[in-house]
Amino acid sequence: MTYLAPRQGLFAIILLVSFCLQTLLLVISTDQQLSKSRALKGEQMVAQLIDEARLSLENKDRVSLSVIANRYTSEQDVTRILIKDNNDDILVPVGNAPMQQGDTIRQIATNGDAVIGSVSLTLKDISKGEIIAMQWPFVIGTMLLHLLLWLIYGYLARPTKEQINALSRDVEDLYREQYRQVDQRSDYRENARENARGYADGASGANDKRSADNENDSTRNSSNKNEGRNLDDNQVTGEASNKTTNTRKIDVHNEVNAYLRAQQNQDAMTEDTGLNADNTSEYRTDDQATDATQNDGRSSDNGTHKVNGSTSQLSTAKLSATRAVDTVSVQIVFHDEFNMLERLAPSQRLPYLALCTQLLNQAITELLKQPLLMGVSAMNEPRFDESGACAVLKADNSHAKVALAGVMLGKLYLMLNKIIHDKHIELSRFALSAKAGVSDDAQADAMTQLLQSVGKKEQMLILLPNAGLKQISNHVQVHSIMRPTTVYERECAIFDGGNDSMIQRLADVRNAVLMIEETDE
């Protein structure tokens, strides 16, 4: 690819200004030279006219004076000749001075010492256009010279491939350095909060286990005590070691994926440690059967531990970061803080929901025509109700980017809803803002809760395993939720923007959907 020279337009403006100034200086200098030559010529003509007309002027012969004056007005530069007697009365006015004005040369006619009259000769002004017309070879040559300079600059000053590559590397390094500093600070703050929370949870869990062991059996032997202490110490040590492994070098494009992956591994290991501790306490309570009341209490505790263990296994399965992404659920809900949709009359609510449904289905149809999303298809035809709508996309082959399709669909509908919302508000009609959530089937219920708890207006939440995050990492930018309070909030990411190609594709699809909408209306 051939690039233009830097600031070639500015250089063209400079050359144009130079050409105009050079032409102006040429006109001014030529005007001064012609003015001097015309002044000398006019004085000579007046002196010669006085010599020829002296006798006729003494006799005040108007006819002779007119004949003599007409010979001089035939000159191209002379516009008017005015001859007066000694009483300053006009004898002969010749020429068309009212139409053409210029410099006037006046001289008194004498005969010896006696004044017999005066002669005034007016020379016409020199036109700037006439000067340029006389100097047209110089003007044309100067213009061609400036044009040649512009072409030479455009050829010689254009950047080489080495300069372009060096400039691109410098820009990329600067971009990465700026974002690396900002993201490192935010990630360090998140790690510090997680470490503090992990230490507090580990210490409180260890204290609870020790107090429960002391109340249940005071005759526990020293070997069981050592086993409990070793188990608690290993749990705290394991959690601390898992926490400290979160500090790492952050990459601009993969920082969110790495952070989510580390958090998922940490949660899985914590749940496994909890299961081991529960099983150990279960074995202890089974060995001690000295008191019936204590056995009943321990049995109820063991049942609770078993339920918690199964729940932890289910949660760990849902949060597994290694599963494949075959289907993606795109949930779109209204941002209705005051429950206005429920209070709306059916005659207005139903047409509005039908419009939203039509927009969403047309968006799915037009979006899946993109070559980038080849192999992705829709599993349902979503319909809007008071709680929103849910579109399910599936991958027909292993190369289909179903996660990217879900993110693009969520962002596309938010763009369409923004336009419809602004237009309805402008026309004083009812409309609501929307928010979207993208997840796989295993975490669809968790995404519904996240949209209700942390979702904001015109915002899109993303809850996907590593395979889905890898599909979108080269196309979109995301950031984590600040100060998460649950595991799902820590795993969730917020859509922060996309690259130019994806945004342009979404804009084209949005325009296509709106054109279909206008045609239907």
Side-chain angles (χ1 to χ4, degrees), residues 10 142 170 417 489 521:
L10 180 61
T142 304
D170 293 341
N417 188 78
E489 290 182 9
E521 291 179 359

Side-chain angles (χ1 to χ4, degrees), residues 104 117 187 206-207 221 271 286 295 315 354 396 413 435 448 473 478 503 505 513 515:
T104 300
D187 189 70
N207 293 331
N221 54 38
E271 295 295 338
D286 289 338
N295 287 336
S315 177
D396 297 334
Y413 186 80
K435 51 189 175 181
T448 304
S473 60
V478 297
I503 297 300
R505 286 191 183 96
V513 173
M515 292 293 293

Side-chain angles (χ1 to χ4, degrees), residues 37-50:
S37 63
R38 283 189 304 108
L40 293 176
K41 181 179 179 181
E43 291 177 356
Q44 293 176 359
M45 291 175 65
V46 170
Q48 186 177 357
L49 177 61
I50 291 175

Side-chain angles (χ1 to χ4, degrees), residues 451-464:
L451 288 173
Q452 295 176 356
S453 59
V454 300
K456 297 181 180 179
K457 180 173 63 175
E458 303 296 336
Q459 193 178 71
M460 181 167 60
L461 305 180
I462 301 173
L463 187 61
L464 295 171

